[in-house]
Amino acid sequence: MSQATEQITERESRGASTPIIQAINTSRDYQLAGEIVHAVSDVSLDVRIGEFITLVGRSGSGKTTLLNLLAGLDHPTSGHVLFEGADMANFSEKQFIQLRRYRIGVVFQSFALLPLLSAYENVELPLRIAGIGASERSKRTNEVLEIVGLGRRAKHRPYELSGGEQQRISIARAVAMRPNVILADEPTGELDSVNAAQIFGLFQEMVHEEEMSIVATTHDSTLLDMADKIYTVHNGEIELSGVGTRVDADARFKRPDDE
Ligand code: ADP
Ligand code: MG
C-alpha cells in the first residue's frame, strides 16, 4: 500500500466522511424595527470529522449568525442543525451544557475572557468545570499557553494584555479542552500576519493529527487556502468557493491511476 493510500485509509477508518455537525436548509431571521433580516438563508453545510472549514464574507454577511447556529447557541427560524445526527432542536438544556462543556469549543469574536482571572486561570477554568484533574489541568494549560506564545503572560489579566494576546488566550482556552469541534469567529482578527498564520497552522495540525473539526470565519484571504474547504458567505447564503491544498492532494491520491 502506498503511503498516500494508507493516509486515506487511515482518515476514512477514523470517520473522515462522517459529519459531526450538519446544517440542513437552515435559516435564521431577525425582526428589526418591523423589518425582517434574513441573516442566514437556507444554508446546508456538513462539518466532517478531520475537516478544517473557513467561512469568508463581508461584515454583515451572516458568518457569526451561522457559527452560533452550528454551536447551538442560537436556534434556526427554519431548518435543522444536527450534532452527530441528532437534531439540536430536541436537545434538553442539560444536553446543550454537555455539548458546550465537552464537545464544541467556541472562540468568540469578542474573546469572552473573564476580566478578574489571569490568562492561566481563564484557560484552566473550563478544564476545572469539566472535572479534569489538577496535574492534567496544569499540564494542558501550560502547554497551550506555550503553543500560542504566551507562556510568559500566564499571570496577566486580560486588561494587561493586547487585543491580539487576549485573542490568543481565547484560542488557547478552546484548544485546551480538546473538544471535537472548534467554532472560531474571526480568530485572527486582532493578529498580525505571522501570528495569524501560526494560529491557522495550529488549526491545521489539530484537524490532521487528532479527530477534530474546525470552522473558522475570516476575511484574511492569505489564510484561506490553509483550510480544507472555503465557503463564501453572502447575504446569508453560502457557496463552496474553493478547496485547500490538502483536499486537492487527497483528490489526487484517490485517482484510480495513482493506485
Ligand atoms: P457577520 O458576522 O458576517 O458580520 P452577522 O451574522 O453578525 O454577520 O449578521 C448578519 C446580519 O444579521 C446583519 O445584517 C446583521 O445586522 C443582522 N443581525 C445580526 N444579529 C442581529 C440581531 N441580534 N438582531 C437583528 N439583526 C441582527
Ligand atoms: Mg461576525
Side-chain angles (χ1 to χ4, degrees), residues 8 17 26 45 88 97 127 133 148-149 160 164 198 222 236 243 245 247 250 255:
I8 297 224
S17 58
T26 304
L45 171 71
M88 288 195 202
I97 290 171
L127 304 176
V148 300
E160 296 165 330
Q198 259 173 17
T222 65
V243 287
T245 47
V247 169
D250 281 0
R255 269 198 341 234

Side-chain angles (χ1 to χ4, degrees), residues 15-23 44-53 55 67 70 81-84 180-183 207 212-215 229 231:
S17 58
T18 315
I20 183 152
I21 301 181
Q22 236 178 330
S44 293
L45 171 71
D46 287 354
V47 180
R48 293 174 190 283
I49 296 170
E51 204 169 53
F52 178 13
I53 293 175
L55 302 175
L67 273 195
L70 297 177
V81 181
L82 313 186
F83 186 83
E84 290 178 340
N180 303 89
V181 191
I182 289 184
L183 302 171
V207 294
M212 272 202 69
S213 315
I214 296 184
V215 184
K229 285 185 185 159
Y231 288 92

Side-chain angles (χ1 to χ4, degrees), residues 54-172:
T54 53
L55 302 175
V56 62
R58 288 193 188 151
S59 173
S61 58
K63 303 180 298 296
T64 297
T65 308
L66 178 56
L67 273 195
N68 287 342
L69 291 168
L70 297 177
L73 294 167
D74 188 12
H75 303 288
T77 315
S78 64
H80 305 272
V81 181
L82 313 186
F83 186 83
E84 290 178 340
D87 195 330
M88 288 195 202
N90 303 323
F91 279 24
S92 64
E93 195 48 40
K94 193 173 166 198
Q95 279 174 302
F96 276 119
I97 290 171
Q98 300 283 324
L99 197 67
R100 283 185 225 117
R101 191 173 288 171
Y102 304 106
R103 314 296 304 277
I104 297 181
V106 180
V107 179
F108 293 96
Q109 197 165 4
S110 57
F111 320 137
L113 299 176
L114 295 170
L116 297 180
L117 299 187
S118 67
Y120 183 95
E121 290 163 338
N122 265 284
V123 174
E124 194 212 19
L125 182 66
L127 304 176
R128 196 182 277 269
I129 292 170
I132 292 164
S135 65
E136 175 70 13
R137 281 203 311 265
S138 87
K139 179 173 161 277
R140 282 203 212 173
T141 304
N142 287 316
E143 204 174 82
V144 293
L145 287 173
E146 284 302 326
I147 289 174
V148 300
L150 291 176
R152 299 175 66 179
R153 295 280 185 281
K155 289 184 178 158
H156 291 234
R157 297 214 179 143
Y159 69 87
E160 296 165 330
L161 296 166
S162 72
E165 287 170 337
Q166 292 179 43
Q167 185 151 47
R168 284 185 281 156
I169 299 293
S170 75
I171 293 163

